[in-house]
Amino acid sequence: MHSPIIEKLKKEIESLGADTKTEHIGIVRAVGDGIVEIDGLVGASMAEMVVFDEASQLSVGDAVRREGALYGVILNLEEDTVKAIILGEASRVQEGMHVRGTGKLLSVPVGDAVIGRIVNTLGEPVDGKGPIAADTSYPVEREAYGVIDRQSVNEPLHTGIKAIDVLIPIGRGQRELIIGDRGTGKTAVAIDAILNQMNEPVDKRPLCIYVAIGQKESKTARVAGLLAERGAMEYTTIVTAPASAPAAYQFLAPYAGVAMAEYFMDKGRDVLIIYDDLSKQAVAYRQLSLLLRRPPGREAYPGDIFYLHSRLLERAAKLSKEKGGGSITALPIIETQDGDISAYIPTNVISITDGQMFLEADLFNKGTRPAINVGISVSRVGGAAQTKAMKKVAGRIKLDLAQFRELEAFMQFSQDLDADTKKRIDTGRRLVATLNQNKYAPIPFEVQVSVMYAATRGHFDSYPPERIQDIESRFTAFMLLEGKDVLAAIKKDRDIKEEVEAKLKSAIEAFVSANK
């Protein structure tokens, strides 16, 4: 700290009225590949924000980001130096440049102002709709709530996808992994979950945050366009760190997204956050760690790669009533190679989450949509995250489907099947057809219940499996027109009471007799 340049800079800061005891001034010793080595930052802390050169005259308490200011985040504390990642154009940082420690952890703007906006990792708007007037900011790295501050997951978060809401239900405050090969429909499942929140009552509707990590900007633009077209951007924020962004942005983007979510959870609101996808975040973190000279481990990932995702996903919670009862539901996405869910990163994230939906390429190629493998997909919250109505219709579906998959495999090697086996196979095919669903077409909870009631109680048994999807769409239209009162009662009570069940049965029978 005895460099004449630093002393001169301290005098300049003193002349501006700033306190040099809290101002930490350093000099860039080396820079390369988005990593900067800094001398002289005495008292620097992990994850502290530093500001380079042109912004060095801002006071410590000034949270305003000047246009053109260049920031970094300290990730390595070494004996004589610190190493930081540059948040922005690395070419703007040169050896000998002054660096100032802000004494603040990296924070992002939070609040109602970010709803409906598309922002980058730093919370800066990239949608061309002007600046975000946020009242406050939250640090991107924050300790998760403890066990005492939480309650068990007991309220469903409907995705609008029958295969999920019936078989592997998701609860508010849960962490459910979406895993599968490239092009199997993982993002489509997540987007359906966002779109379906339109079907929830306004006072119970979760806010949604979609974090796009390492994605093509064209894909993120398509997602934003779809959400805007359907009216879902009214309750959604998109945080984007595209493939063209520096690795530092891709590494920090999920933490920025969950910081925005925590603000609303602290206010007692429910939030759904989607990380698309954490495989790319892990690769970005590996790249940064190797550049920071951290020791590589398995597959060249650093030793703390598990902690990278655990400290992120642990921030999803259902808070106790004393803490306001808010929740964050996390749907992380992981991409596998050739269906290998036993690889390093997939197994890490599976062990952190409360269940997984495995989307299988073979099922996708057979025309099953969504291509969820019921056998190895699981929700560790289960029935606790289902309404009474859904529990009544779900019944033995999972077991029947698993048995059907076994029989289907066996059927390939056998020509002569007895009547009972044929019946089971036909039942399984009808169930598969009933659970099939087009993407971006989420179905309200009460409609799902009525369809599954008809399918599982044998009312559709007179139809061949190939006609089921057509019959289902006709039945849905019939119920929305003729059975409005039945659907309204199921939606209100979240149960199928005796008198409602009688009306539902008579409506189904009337439909079947008219559609023979």
Side-chain angles (χ1 to χ4, degrees), residues 167 374 394-407 424 428 431:
L167 300 172
V374 177
R396 285 171 45 91
I397 294 178
K398 196 162 188 177
L399 184 60
D400 288 345
L401 276 175
Q403 286 178 345
F404 164 66
R405 296 287 180 213
E406 297 251 344
L407 286 170
R424 284 193 181 195
L431 275 178

Side-chain angles (χ1 to χ4, degrees), residues 139-393:
V140 297
E141 293 274 11
R142 190 169 174 234
E143 193 174 337
Y145 280 98
V147 175
I148 302 299
D149 296 326
R150 303 179 183 224
Q151 62 173 307
S152 59
V153 174
N154 53 26
E155 191 179 353
L157 186 133
H158 293 125
T159 63
I161 301 170
K162 288 171 290 183
I164 295 171
D165 293 341
V166 173
L167 300 172
I168 37 178
I170 299 170
R172 300 192 181 198
Q174 189 176 345
R175 303 156 301 177
E176 181 80 8
L177 174 64
I178 303 171
I179 186 168
D181 285 3
R182 187 176 183 178
T184 49
K186 301 185 298 297
T187 300
V189 168
I191 298 307
D192 273 345
I194 294 177
L195 292 173
N196 188 61
Q197 303 318 311
M198 292 280 285
N199 297 321
E200 293 292 311
V202 176
D203 59 327
K204 293 243 179 191
R205 181 181 294 166
L207 296 166
C208 300
I209 296 174
Y210 176 75
V211 186
I213 311 154
Q215 304 294 329
K216 291 179 184 174
E217 290 181 80
S218 58
K219 179 185 172 182
T220 307
R222 279 198 306 274
V223 168
L226 175 68
L227 295 176
E229 183 187 318
R230 300 287 189 88
M233 278 305 287
E234 290 175 13
Y235 53 85
T236 304
T237 301
I238 294 177
V239 180
T240 178
S244 58
Y249 276 55
Q250 294 179 45
F251 151 58
L252 290 167
Y255 299 104
V258 78
M260 294 174 191
E262 279 178 328
Y263 170 84
F264 296 110
M265 180 174 70
D266 290 345
K267 299 284 183 188
R269 300 181 72 174
D270 294 322
V271 185
L272 168 64
I273 186 164
I274 289 143
Y275 305 113
D276 189 9
D277 67 68
L278 292 187
S279 308
K280 293 183 177 67
Q281 189 215 11
V283 169
Y285 186 62
R286 173 172 64 183
Q287 180 184 330
L288 290 172
S289 297
L290 292 172
L291 291 169
L292 288 164
R293 302 299 177 106
R294 293 179 179 177
R298 181 175 162 186
E299 295 176 28
Y301 286 105
D304 65 343
I305 195 74
F306 180 88
Y307 182 52
L308 172 79
H309 290 145
S310 67
R311 74 178 190 265
L312 171 70
L313 294 169
E314 283 297 331
R315 289 163 76 174
K318 171 76 171 170
L319 294 186
S320 64
K321 288 179 181 173
E322 293 75 21
K323 288 285 179 180
S327 71
I328 294 175
T329 308
L331 297 183
I333 295 174
I334 288 286
E335 187 177 296
T336 53
Q337 305 292 327
D338 198 26
D340 184 14
I341 59 168
S342 63
Y344 187 33
I345 300 301
T347 48
N348 270 354
V349 183
I350 285 171
S351 65
I352 297 164
T353 49
D354 307 312
Q356 70 276 345
M357 290 175 256
F358 179 49
L359 279 74
E360 202 171 57
D362 287 347
L363 289 174
F364 188 87
N365 295 333
K366 284 180 187 175
T368 304
R369 303 285 191 280
I372 294 173
N373 182 322
V374 177
I376 60 173
S377 297
V378 67
S379 169
R380 296 190 188 107
V381 173
Q386 272 184 319
T387 59
K388 288 180 180 177
M390 194 63 88
K391 279 182 191 175
K392 281 180 181 176
V393 300

Side-chain angles (χ1 to χ4, degrees), residues 27-32 36-37 90-98:
I27 288 184
V28 173
R29 175 197 276 183
V31 61
V36 61
E37 193 173 335
S91 58
R92 289 167 59 185
V93 179
Q94 299 170 358
E95 289 182 29
M97 185 178 278
H98 305 141

Side-chain angles (χ1 to χ4, degrees), residues 481-498:
L481 195 65
E482 303 291 334
K484 281 182 182 176
D485 56 335
V486 175
L487 295 179
I490 294 171
K491 185 174 184 177
K492 183 186 171 192
D493 300 332
R494 304 230 155 181
D495 197 357
I496 308 174
K497 295 185 174 174
E498 279 186 34

